[in-house]
Every structure is written in structure tokens, then in C-alpha cells.
Amino acid sequence: MSWWSWDHAVATLPLLLDGFRTTLLATVLGTLIAVVLGLVVAIVRRSAPGIITAPVTGAVEFIRMTPLVVQLVFANLLLAPYFDALTIGIWVLGIHYTTYMAEVYRAGIDSVPKGQWEAATALSLPHTRTWRAVIIPQAIRATLPALGNYAISMFKETPFLMVIYVAEMVNQAQNYGAATYRYTEPITIAGLIFLAASYPTSVLVRRLEKRLA
């Protein structure tokens, strides 16, 4: 038996492309959740009183220090009666990466020159407007490349969704292999699709980083 069959390679494509759509959906929605919640967490940790920042910091550290796979399985055990596996997976991915993006935002906020804060105070700008009009735009500009890199990392970690039976691309490849006893073709093509999607994105992120430097 040949190690490679073009017939199986062609036959597995519809399943893999269907799984790729699920992978892409999980990445896009998970990234949106992480981008928004990460900014909220960064602002809370930067400006809220200690009684609020302490539990937020504890939750962030707990999530960062526990494996994503464990979080997926635990969340699925708790929430499976109420939500479908893809929804659970998207939120777990988003919240997991929130903890990393929050640190990126924190570094971006800290990089805003002190004079910007002093100028906003001198102009008597309200606290919320200082954040919205002065600090956040500069912080986001400084953090865009790092946020892009984390989005790529999330894309490459979507195969972990298979542990809660989400039909993402690698799961579909394994399903095809289990049904046909041909794993080489689906796994290889899945890897090539990941490469084809992530490499151009990483190049764009590097260009953006150089442009913003």
C-alpha cells in the first residue's frame, strides 16, 4: 500500500475545509473576545482600587498558569447542558487569551509618555475621556503587532477544541483517518492549510511591527 494516495487526499478536502471554517470562526470570535476583555482587564488592573484588582489579578494568574486543555474540559463539564461545544470552546479560548492580551495592553499603557497623562490633567479632561481619547489610542497602536501574534497563536491552538468534540480541522482529519485507516493524507493536508493560513498572516504582522516601530 502506497504511503500517499491522491484519491484520499482529494476525498478528505471537503471535510477539512468544513473543519477549517469552524477553526476560523473559533479564532475570529475568540480573538474578538480576548481583544475586548483584555483591554477591560488591563484598565481595571491599572486604575481600579485594590479590592477589585486583587481578585482580577488572581483570576488572571490562575488562568495563565493552568493548561488550556484542562480549562476546555472543565468548562465543558460544567456548561455542556446549557451551551454547545463550539460556543464553550470559543469562550474558553477567548478568556484564556484575554490574560495574555491584558499584559500586552498593560505594557502599551505603561509605554504612553507620562507627559500625556499630565497634559490631560492640566486640561481637566474627565478620567473616562482621558482613557478614551488619549491613552487607549496610543496604547493600542503600540500593541497591535503583539495582539496579532497572539491571534496567530490562538489559531494554531484551535486543535485543542477536539477534546470537547468540536469538529475543527484536525478533528475532521482524525475522523477521516479513523473511518478509512488513512491518516497521512488528512493530517498532512491539515498541516499545510494551517501553514498556508498562518504564514502570510505572520508576515503581515511583522511588516506592521516594522511600520509602527
Side-chain angles (χ1 to χ4, degrees):
M1 183 174 63
S2 173
W3 74 275
W4 182 267
S5 166
W6 285 108
D7 290 338
H8 283 288
V10 172
T12 193
L13 273 176
L15 277 176
L16 294 182
L17 292 177
D18 184 60
F20 179 72
R21 284 192 289 269
T22 301
T23 294
L24 196 59
L25 177 65
T27 302
V28 171
L29 295 183
T31 298
L32 288 175
I33 292 169
V35 165
V36 174
L37 291 185
L39 181 58
V40 172
V41 170
I43 293 174
V44 167
R45 294 183 67 183
R46 183 67 168 71
S47 60
I51 193 171
I52 296 176
T53 58
V56 170
T57 300
V60 166
E61 292 302 318
F62 176 81
I63 293 171
R64 288 183 66 188
M65 298 302 171
T66 53
L68 175 59
V69 171
V70 174
Q71 294 169 18
L72 284 166
V73 172
F74 183 73
N76 191 57
L77 288 173
L78 289 180
L79 302 175
Y82 312 104
F83 303 99
D84 63 271
L86 180 58
T87 299
I88 295 170
I90 289 170
W91 276 98
V92 171
L93 279 172
I95 292 172
H96 183 83
Y97 273 88
T98 289
T99 62
Y100 296 101
M101 292 192 181
E103 288 301 306
V104 172
Y105 281 124
R106 182 191 60 77
I109 291 168
D110 290 343
S111 71
V112 176
K114 186 178 179 181
Q116 297 291 313
W117 295 90
E118 294 172 347
T121 302
L123 292 171
S124 300
L125 292 180
H127 192 63
T128 54
R129 189 176 177 188
T130 298
W131 278 102
R132 186 179 68 252
V134 179
I135 305 304
I136 291 177
Q138 296 183 66
I140 290 178
R141 178 181 172 84
T143 59
L144 279 176
L147 296 177
N149 285 327
Y150 276 123
I152 295 171
S153 295
M154 184 187 298
F155 173 67
K156 292 187 294 185
E157 289 197 338
T158 53
F160 285 129
L161 295 177
M162 73 171 68
V163 301
I164 57 173
Y165 308 108
V166 173
E168 48 73 47
M169 188 163 54
V170 175
N171 192 355
Q172 293 282 42
Q174 289 195 328
N175 288 341
Y176 183 88
T180 62
Y181 302 102
R182 297 288 306 200
Y183 287 92
T184 303
E185 294 83 3
I187 293 297
T188 300
I189 295 174
L192 291 174
I193 293 174
F194 269 109
L195 178 62
S198 60
Y199 180 73
T201 307
S202 66
V203 171
L204 290 175
V205 169
R206 285 199 297 269
R207 289 182 178 178
L208 179 62
E209 187 173 7
K210 290 179 181 178
R211 190 170 182 177
L212 295 177

